[in-house]
Amino acid sequence: MANSAHPSQQELAALLKREDFSDVYAQADQVREQHKGNEVQIRAILEFSNVCRRSCRYCGLNCHNGKVSRYRMQPQEMIETAQAASRAGYRTIVLQSGEDPYYTPEILGEIIQEIKKTGMAVTVSCGELPRRDYAYLKACGADRYLLKHETADEGLYRSLHPDGTLQNRVECLRNLKDLGYETGSGFMIGLPGQTEETVAKDLLLLAALGCDMAGIGPFISHPDTPLRGLPSGSTELTKRAVALTRLLLPDANLPATTSLGVLSNGEKNDVFSCGANVVMRKVTPDPYKERYEIYPAKLGHTDIEKDRRELEEQIRALGRIPL
């Protein structure tokens, strides 16, 4: 696997179906250590708006969900939260929202410029935008952009995203890469209709795009969406996908996703021995955090400094170095 530059979809699917995956996990962990060391990068994530114009059928923030209490953080509040995260030791902040047209490129650009004064790297995750807007945010200092493709299967993508196309999603990712962003994508495990062959296609898309980051987590159904009541995605298949991504993209940053921790904190810790090297911690202020519910999760009070210290201790307990 490690010596094959371009494994086929069939080969990857066969690997995903193997009964014993331990040797692949070991190989992925070795590649992670060689390329990323034993450091775990801790990144702050600030969910600044839960307003979204899209109607993605799996997402609790979709525009048709009338039960959501919508909010928008003001720019100064966002900047002050980022400054607090910087003081707590975070080196990167992820600015995440639904696709909310209220935040124009000019508004986001000013926020990014202010946050950059702290010395932190800034990742933006605000959905699909025109290339000129991505270019503007890059010029304002944005370092990374996260835009998960969710599924590389065109039929499945169409069924889940009635107001978007896989083609446009991929075009956005290519624009981001071309503009010099550290470009992140990713997908969910356990979507209805997904197979190991589908997941293999997802892995090959990440490789074809040359992604610098990839977030892979299990699907968790939200009770106020059309996919309510469906079973959650497999944590085992999630870890396998992370491991294969590490082998395909040795230098990529691969997070232990929040959704994996929702289903099993043990599995979230275990994924660090399967190729992952990043973890994100919410710094979204109360009470906004509870209202940014893509999927159900039990969330406690936000204490930026205390949360950071606790996470550092957890990482050291795993034999890794928090960064």
Side-chain angles (χ1 to χ4, degrees), residues 211-281:
C211 287
D212 304 288
M213 307 179 284
I216 301 168
F219 161 74
I220 301 174
S221 70
H222 191 288
D224 300 323
T225 68
L227 302 188
R228 68 181 68 87
L230 292 179
S232 298
S234 162
T235 56
E236 173 64 23
L237 187 55
T238 298
K239 292 191 298 179
R240 292 184 176 204
V242 171
L244 290 175
T245 301
R246 174 59 67 201
L247 297 179
L248 289 167
L249 295 166
D251 293 309
N253 286 315
L254 305 181
T257 58
T258 307
S259 57
L260 186 58
V262 168
L263 294 184
S264 170
N265 199 52
E267 295 281 30
K268 185 176 180 180
N269 290 338
D270 191 40
V271 78
F272 287 113
S273 64
C274 305
N277 70 306
V278 175
V279 66
M280 296 187 186
R281 178 55 60 96

XYZ file of all heavy atoms in Angstrom, residues 211-281:
513
model
N -5.042 17.108 -0.747
C -5.507 17.823 0.446
C -4.419 17.898 1.521
O -3.679 16.947 1.736
C -6.753 17.138 1.023
S -8.222 17.398 0.027
N -4.359 19.043 2.185
C -3.425 19.249 3.282
C -4.046 18.855 4.621
O -3.332 18.677 5.604
C -3.008 20.718 3.342
C -2.426 21.202 2.023
O -1.303 20.797 1.699
O -3.110 21.953 1.298
N -5.386 18.770 4.645
C -6.127 18.363 5.836
C -7.284 17.492 5.378
O -7.786 17.654 4.267
C -6.692 19.573 6.584
C -5.706 20.660 6.947
S -6.536 22.036 7.797
C -7.343 22.856 6.408
N -7.726 16.603 6.264
C -8.893 15.785 5.944
C -9.603 15.378 7.226
O -9.008 14.708 8.078
C -8.495 14.543 5.150
N -10.841 15.803 7.359
C -11.653 15.439 8.502
C -12.601 14.311 8.148
O -13.446 14.454 7.270
N -12.442 13.183 8.820
C -13.259 12.003 8.530
C -13.927 11.574 9.825
O -13.263 11.248 10.807
C -12.389 10.855 7.982
C -11.668 11.308 6.702
C -13.244 9.615 7.702
C -10.570 10.361 6.257
N -15.259 11.583 9.838
C -15.981 11.232 11.047
C -17.239 10.458 10.744
O -17.731 10.457 9.610
N -17.796 9.798 11.744
C -19.014 9.020 11.533
C -20.249 9.908 11.393
O -20.351 10.947 12.048
C -19.103 8.155 12.793
C -18.388 8.955 13.835
C -17.287 9.676 13.119
N -21.162 9.484 10.562
C -22.467 10.134 10.454
C -23.242 9.928 11.758
O -23.247 8.833 12.323
C -23.246 9.535 9.279
C -24.731 9.782 9.321
C -25.245 11.036 9.023
C -25.613 8.767 9.674
C -26.619 11.274 9.071
C -26.980 8.988 9.715
C -27.478 10.254 9.415
N -23.857 11.004 12.237
C -24.751 10.941 13.394
C -26.039 11.643 13.005
O -26.019 12.814 12.614
C -24.135 11.624 14.637
C -22.800 10.959 15.016
C -25.100 11.561 15.815
C -22.064 11.670 16.142
N -27.154 10.951 13.090
C -28.415 11.544 12.639
C -28.919 12.595 13.623
O -28.724 12.481 14.832
C -29.480 10.469 12.429
O -29.890 9.938 13.676
N -29.564 13.617 13.067
C -30.179 14.669 13.875
C -31.696 14.475 13.834
O -32.256 14.234 12.759
C -29.796 16.047 13.325
C -30.152 17.183 14.221
N -31.464 17.587 14.413
C -29.394 18.009 14.984
C -31.486 18.614 15.256
N -30.235 18.884 15.620
N -32.379 14.587 14.970
C -33.820 14.295 15.009
C -34.681 15.272 14.208
O -35.838 14.952 13.930
C -34.152 14.379 16.505
C -33.081 15.217 17.106
C -31.854 14.927 16.312
N -34.133 16.438 13.848
C -34.919 17.427 13.113
C -34.487 17.537 11.662
O -34.537 18.608 11.056
C -34.804 18.797 13.803
C -35.312 18.761 15.229
O -36.305 18.052 15.485
O -34.700 19.420 16.090
N -34.051 16.409 11.094
C -33.672 16.352 9.683
C -34.367 15.182 9.005
O -34.900 14.286 9.675
C -32.147 16.151 9.525
O -31.804 14.834 9.991
C -31.363 17.196 10.305
N -34.369 15.143 7.670
C -34.973 14.011 6.956
C -34.305 12.671 7.241
O -34.893 11.624 6.986
C -34.804 14.406 5.489
C -34.736 15.897 5.491
C -33.995 16.235 6.751
N -33.084 12.685 7.765
C -32.377 11.430 8.045
C -32.491 11.015 9.508
O -31.717 10.191 9.992
C -30.898 11.557 7.662
C -30.595 11.916 6.206
C -29.106 11.805 5.925
C -31.378 11.040 5.233
N -33.482 11.561 10.198
C -33.677 11.254 11.616
C -33.829 9.747 11.840
O -34.431 9.033 11.027
C -34.913 11.978 12.150
C -36.229 11.463 11.590
C -37.431 12.234 12.134
N -37.458 13.602 11.663
C -38.022 13.984 10.511
N -38.579 13.080 9.708
N -38.013 15.246 10.157
N -33.249 9.270 12.933
C -33.438 7.883 13.338
C -32.560 6.871 12.651
O -32.590 5.689 13.022
N -31.769 7.289 11.677
C -30.892 6.336 10.993
C -29.695 6.001 11.884
O -29.263 6.814 12.699
C -30.419 6.912 9.662
C -31.501 7.073 8.583
C -30.908 7.685 7.328
C -32.129 5.722 8.252
N -29.145 4.794 11.734
C -28.026 4.400 12.599
C -26.786 5.242 12.338
O -26.566 5.731 11.228
C -27.786 2.929 12.230
C -28.381 2.773 10.869
C -29.546 3.706 10.812
N -25.976 5.398 13.385
C -24.732 6.149 13.259
C -23.700 5.347 12.473
O -23.770 4.122 12.364
C -24.183 6.486 14.646
O -25.076 7.307 15.364
N -22.728 6.071 11.936
C -21.670 5.425 11.172
C -20.740 4.613 12.051
O -20.628 4.836 13.261
N -20.039 3.684 11.447
C -19.138 2.779 12.149
C -17.862 3.508 12.588
O -17.171 4.120 11.764
C -18.766 1.610 11.233
O -17.616 0.940 11.695
N -17.545 3.410 13.877
C -16.293 3.994 14.351
C -15.089 3.216 13.812
O -14.039 3.797 13.541
C -16.248 4.038 15.886
O -16.445 2.724 16.405
C -17.329 4.958 16.432
N -15.249 1.918 13.634
C -14.162 1.101 13.097
C -13.847 1.495 11.651
O -12.677 1.683 11.287
C -14.515 -0.384 13.167
C -13.529 -1.316 12.473
C -12.134 -1.316 13.084
O -11.997 -0.956 14.264
O -11.174 -1.679 12.372
N -14.877 1.642 10.831
C -14.657 2.028 9.434
C -14.083 3.450 9.361
O -13.280 3.759 8.486
C -15.950 1.934 8.632
C -15.839 2.149 7.116
C -14.823 1.198 6.501
C -17.202 1.984 6.447
N -14.492 4.304 10.295
C -13.930 5.655 10.353
C -12.427 5.586 10.581
O -11.643 6.258 9.886
C -14.592 6.465 11.490
O -15.994 6.586 11.232
C -13.983 7.855 11.592
N -12.002 4.788 11.549
C -10.574 4.675 11.842
C -9.813 4.078 10.650
O -8.683 4.486 10.359
C -10.355 3.822 13.092
C -10.847 4.471 14.375
C -10.384 3.726 15.608
C -10.906 2.313 15.652
N -10.443 1.581 16.846
N -10.430 3.131 9.968
C -9.785 2.538 8.796
C -9.589 3.579 7.695
O -8.539 3.620 7.042
C -10.609 1.354 8.282
C -10.614 0.169 9.233
C -11.352 -1.033 8.687
N -11.248 -2.168 9.615
C -11.377 -3.443 9.273
N -11.651 -3.763 8.008
N -11.248 -4.403 10.179
N -10.596 4.422 7.516
C -10.496 5.470 6.495
C -9.405 6.478 6.855
O -8.664 6.947 5.985
C -11.837 6.166 6.330
N -9.295 6.806 8.138
C -8.230 7.718 8.583
C -6.864 7.095 8.315
O -5.944 7.756 7.805
C -8.391 8.063 10.082
C -7.163 8.820 10.603
C -9.650 8.890 10.307
N -6.714 5.831 8.640
C -5.432 5.151 8.441
C -5.031 5.134 6.965
O -3.876 5.407 6.616
C -5.512 3.724 8.995
N -5.973 4.828 6.095
C -5.662 4.792 4.666
C -5.370 6.191 4.129
O -4.530 6.355 3.236
C -6.814 4.140 3.895
C -6.975 2.633 4.129
C -8.211 2.098 3.411
C -5.734 1.866 3.671
N -6.043 7.196 4.688
C -5.736 8.571 4.278
C -4.310 8.931 4.653
O -3.602 9.600 3.893
C -6.722 9.559 4.937
O -8.060 9.215 4.557
C -6.444 10.991 4.486
N -3.868 8.503 5.840
C -2.478 8.754 6.240
C -1.496 8.131 5.259
O -0.462 8.726 4.928
C -2.244 8.220 7.661
C -0.808 8.287 8.143
C -0.253 9.709 8.133
N -0.910 10.551 9.104
C -0.918 11.878 9.047
N -0.307 12.505 8.054
N -1.539 12.594 9.971
N -1.804 6.939 4.767
C -0.911 6.281 3.820
C -0.950 6.960 2.454
O 0.078 7.039 1.765
C -1.282 4.803 3.690
C -1.138 3.972 4.974
C -1.549 2.525 4.725
C 0.278 4.037 5.518
N -2.104 7.453 2.055
C -2.228 8.147 0.767
C -1.643 9.554 0.819
O -1.086 10.043 -0.176
C -3.705 8.232 0.357
C -4.385 6.932 -0.072
C -5.896 7.132 -0.135
C -3.853 6.488 -1.436
N -1.786 10.224 1.972
C -1.337 11.604 2.142
C -0.469 11.688 3.405
O -0.918 12.142 4.455
C -2.548 12.541 2.255
C -3.443 12.661 1.021
C -4.766 13.346 1.378
C -2.731 13.437 -0.084
N 0.784 11.255 3.320
C 1.619 11.144 4.521
C 1.811 12.449 5.288
O 1.979 12.429 6.512
C 2.959 10.646 3.960
C 2.617 9.984 2.666
C 1.466 10.752 2.115
N 1.766 13.589 4.596
C 2.034 14.872 5.251
C 0.771 15.618 5.669
O 0.857 16.723 6.201
C 2.854 15.774 4.315
C 4.260 15.230 4.091
O 4.935 14.932 5.094
O 4.674 15.090 2.927
N -0.386 15.037 5.443
C -1.640 15.730 5.759
C -1.857 15.802 7.267
O -1.365 14.966 8.033
C -2.815 15.017 5.100
N -2.602 16.823 7.673
C -3.059 16.922 9.062
C -4.421 16.251 9.160
O -5.366 16.624 8.454
C -3.144 18.385 9.494
C -1.779 18.984 9.731
O -0.930 18.361 10.358
N -1.544 20.189 9.227
N -4.514 15.244 10.027
C -5.731 14.436 10.146
C -6.266 14.525 11.566
O -5.634 14.042 12.506
C -5.440 12.971 9.791
C -4.806 12.712 8.422
C -4.594 11.214 8.212
C -5.667 13.285 7.304
N -7.423 15.143 11.753
C -7.968 15.289 13.107
C -8.713 14.062 13.603
O -9.275 13.295 12.812
C -8.933 16.470 12.965
C -9.370 16.419 11.539
C -8.191 15.894 10.754
N -8.701 13.906 14.913
C -9.652 13.021 15.582
C -10.932 13.843 15.694
O -11.004 14.771 16.491
C -9.135 12.616 16.952
N -11.926 13.547 14.890
C -13.080 14.425 14.764
C -13.976 14.395 15.999
O -14.029 13.411 16.734
C -13.929 14.053 13.532
O -14.355 12.692 13.650
C -13.125 14.226 12.250
N -14.673 15.497 16.196
C -15.591 15.623 17.332
C -16.670 14.553 17.287
O -17.050 13.988 18.314
C -16.240 17.023 17.326
O -15.204 18.006 17.258
C -17.060 17.243 18.579
N -17.180 14.249 16.086
C -18.256 13.265 15.972
C -17.814 11.886 16.433
O -18.593 11.126 17.015
C -18.775 13.203 14.526
O -17.738 12.901 13.618
N -16.546 11.545 16.210
C -16.036 10.257 16.685
C -16.056 10.216 18.203
O -16.402 9.201 18.817
C -14.621 10.033 16.149
C -13.985 8.667 16.418
C -14.833 7.538 15.854
C -12.574 8.612 15.835
N -15.713 11.338 18.836
C -15.743 11.409 20.292
C -17.142 11.359 20.859
O -17.354 10.875 21.980
N -18.128 11.856 20.095
C -19.519 11.797 20.554
C -19.966 10.347 20.691
O -20.646 9.970 21.650
C -20.444 12.563 19.574
C -21.909 12.269 19.881
C -20.184 14.061 19.665
N -19.581 9.514 19.729
C -19.980 8.103 19.779
C -19.136 7.306 20.762
O -19.637 6.406 21.427
C -19.863 7.487 18.376
C -20.823 8.027 17.317
C -20.647 7.261 16.012
C -22.270 7.947 17.782
N -17.830 7.634 20.846
C -16.952 6.875 21.741
C -15.677 7.664 21.993
O -14.871 7.833 21.079
C -16.594 5.520 21.125
O -15.575 4.895 21.867
N -15.507 8.118 23.227
C -14.284 8.860 23.545
C -13.063 7.956 23.442
O -11.976 8.405 23.075
C -14.380 9.468 24.947
C -13.385 10.599 25.126
O -13.337 11.517 24.309
N -12.587 10.534 26.168
N -13.249 6.672 23.749
C -12.149 5.726 23.616
C -11.693 5.586 22.178
O -10.497 5.538 21.885
N -12.655 5.520 21.264
C -12.324 5.422 19.842
C -11.638 6.703 19.364
O -10.738 6.667 18.526
C -13.593 5.168 19.013
C -14.265 3.841 19.288
C -13.592 2.671 18.606
O -12.368 2.710 18.391
O -14.288 1.689 18.284
N -12.067 7.856 19.904
C -11.426 9.112 19.525
C -9.968 9.109 19.947
O -9.092 9.558 19.208
C -12.165 10.294 20.162
C -11.624 11.651 19.728
C -12.452 12.785 20.297
C -11.898 14.142 19.856
N -12.695 15.258 20.395
N -9.677 8.597 21.132
C -8.292 8.486 21.570
C -7.525 7.470 20.730
O -6.364 7.675 20.372
C -8.224 8.101 23.049
C -8.674 9.212 23.970
O -8.660 10.389 23.594
N -9.096 8.857 25.174
N -8.186 6.375 20.396
C -7.544 5.295 19.661
C -7.123 5.726 18.261
O -6.142 5.224 17.721
C -8.495 4.092 19.580
C -7.802 2.842 19.072
O -6.645 2.601 19.472
O -8.396 2.122 18.263
N -7.850 6.668 17.672
C -7.545 7.074 16.300
C -6.179 7.750 16.216
O -5.581 7.822 15.148
C -8.667 7.991 15.739
C -8.550 9.407 16.271
C -8.676 7.979 14.217
N -5.637 8.212 17.356
C -4.287 8.783 17.347
C -3.234 7.713 17.082
O -2.105 8.036 16.716
C -3.999 9.513 18.658
C -4.733 10.814 18.795
C -5.717 10.965 19.757
C -4.464 11.876 17.954
C -6.404 12.158 19.889
C -5.149 13.082 18.071
C -6.123 13.219 19.042
N -3.573 6.453 17.274
C -2.650 5.374 16.924
C -2.961 4.794 15.550
O -2.375 3.794 15.141
C -2.708 4.259 17.981
O -3.989 3.664 18.008
N -3.862 5.456 14.829
C -4.251 5.008 13.483
C -3.907 6.043 12.414
O -4.367 5.943 11.278
C -5.749 4.710 13.428
S -6.328 3.528 14.658
N -3.150 7.079 12.805
C -2.727 8.062 11.814
C -3.104 9.495 12.107
O -2.586 10.420 11.479
N -4.011 9.749 13.050
C -4.456 11.111 13.337
C -3.392 11.877 14.119
O -2.631 11.297 14.886
C -5.764 11.098 14.113
N -3.371 13.211 13.928
C -2.371 14.036 14.628
C -2.916 15.409 15.028
O -2.141 16.284 15.430
C -1.142 14.242 13.737
C -1.419 15.156 12.552
O -2.354 14.913 11.782
N -0.628 16.201 12.393
N -4.226 15.610 14.930
C -4.841 16.906 15.237
C -6.095 16.666 16.063
O -6.792 15.656 15.885
C -5.218 17.664 13.940
C -5.978 18.958 14.246
C -3.996 17.975 13.104
N -6.391 17.603 16.962
C -7.675 17.576 17.665
C -8.177 19.016 17.766
O -7.388 19.959 17.868
C -7.543 16.927 19.068
C -6.670 17.765 19.990
C -8.905 16.679 19.690
N -9.478 19.188 17.667
C -10.080 20.510 17.765
C -10.882 20.621 19.050
O -11.528 19.667 19.466
C -10.973 20.788 16.556
C -10.222 20.842 15.237
S -11.278 21.366 13.878
C -10.154 21.156 12.489
N -10.836 21.794 19.663
C -11.595 22.048 20.871
C -12.424 23.316 20.677
O -11.894 24.346 20.255
C -10.656 22.184 22.071
C -11.327 22.511 23.404
C -12.426 21.527 23.789
N -12.017 20.164 23.945
C -11.702 19.601 25.098
N -11.744 20.295 26.216
N -11.361 18.339 25.155
